[in-house]
Amino acid sequence: MLVAAAATWQISTSRRGIPCRVSYGVRAAMNCNELDVVGSAGPLIAAVTHPRYIARFPGSEEELWFAHVRVSREGGFNQDFSSILFVEGAGLASIYGIASPDGYPVGLARHLALQQQSFITFLRHENACAEGLFGPALRIFTTHLYYSELMVTKAYLAARGSSLYAGVGYNDPYAGVYVTQVIEVEHATGTEASSV
């Protein structure tokens, strides 16, 4: 049973850095059931490369960036995502759309917003898979509700060499609300991979 799909797309830019062409596709994500064998997969790891500035939001100090993301699980899978969008501003960076409960970013062309939403859905699915892999003991870690999103954001910050905070958003099943949170991140210089 396939439980998630991950989107990939490419934003081509002109020499002045202005997006001028977009193409995208959908690749199937791994089913959690394929990882049920104990010891068959380790922690999730993210690598972020080629962060590029796109534009500043009109009337705001926030900036839109994109980068290429590889998410993998040791002993499991590798999933590549091209041109994932990130927002920087007010002292933090986050995956564009993460502030929304459904992961759908506002103010973006529908087809791109849906692709970004698919990436966020993939990450949230990986959080659920982690609990299936590692069991309820995972809940003792405060990050278990948003660790995939945080891991990708940390990798993005490392690739940018940035000391910004990380912004995450998640559904808190205990409180029954959607939470956005700012997290101080340990910053490792020169590192492009992150694992949680």
Side-chain angles (χ1 to χ4, degrees):
M1 175 175 105
L2 183 66
V3 290
T8 61
W9 67 98
Q10 182 73 37
I11 299 176
S12 301
T13 58
S14 68
R15 283 188 272 194
R16 294 174 37 198
I18 299 169
C20 59
R21 189 185 65 178
V22 177
S23 60
Y24 64 92
V26 176
R27 294 177 54 194
M30 179 174 278
N31 182 336
C32 285
N33 294 332
E34 294 175 32
L35 300 174
D36 284 342
V37 178
V38 175
S40 68
L44 209 62
I45 298 172
V48 172
T49 58
H50 308 297
R52 299 282 188 264
Y53 173 80
I54 296 176
R56 187 174 301 256
F57 286 90
S60 172
E61 291 299 312
E62 292 184 329
E63 299 176 342
L64 186 63
W65 289 72
F66 72 89
H68 304 299
V69 178
R70 170 172 271 192
V71 179
S72 36
R73 191 173 292 284
E74 290 181 11
F77 69 93
N78 292 309
Q79 185 77 42
D80 293 317
F81 301 89
S82 296
S83 302
I84 296 301
L85 300 172
F86 293 86
V87 175
E88 292 185 14
L92 66 97
S94 63
I95 300 166
Y96 191 38
I98 205 73
S100 174
D102 64 0
Y104 189 91
V106 295
L108 191 61
R110 180 172 166 71
H111 65 283
L112 289 176
L114 289 171
Q115 299 306 313
Q116 191 75 6
Q117 182 183 39
S118 293
F119 176 68
I120 292 169
T121 300
F122 169 82
L123 294 176
R124 291 178 176 166
H125 169 74
E126 285 305 311
N127 290 340
C129 284
E131 191 159 333
L133 282 169
F134 303 110
L138 187 64
R139 295 179 193 157
I140 65 171
F141 300 103
T142 58
T143 61
H144 81 278
L145 294 171
Y146 54 84
Y147 91 101
S148 296
E149 297 93 326
L150 178 59
M151 181 246 341
V152 169
T153 306
K154 284 174 57 175
Y156 168 77
L157 289 168
R160 289 262 300 116
S162 175
S163 60
L164 296 172
Y165 290 95
V168 296
Y170 59 95
N171 289 303
D172 185 338
Y174 312 112
V177 296
Y178 189 76
V179 177
T180 55
Q181 188 171 343
V182 176
I183 299 173
E184 188 172 2
V185 180
E186 289 183 26
H187 299 284
T189 57
T191 305
E192 292 184 354
S194 176
S195 67
V196 175

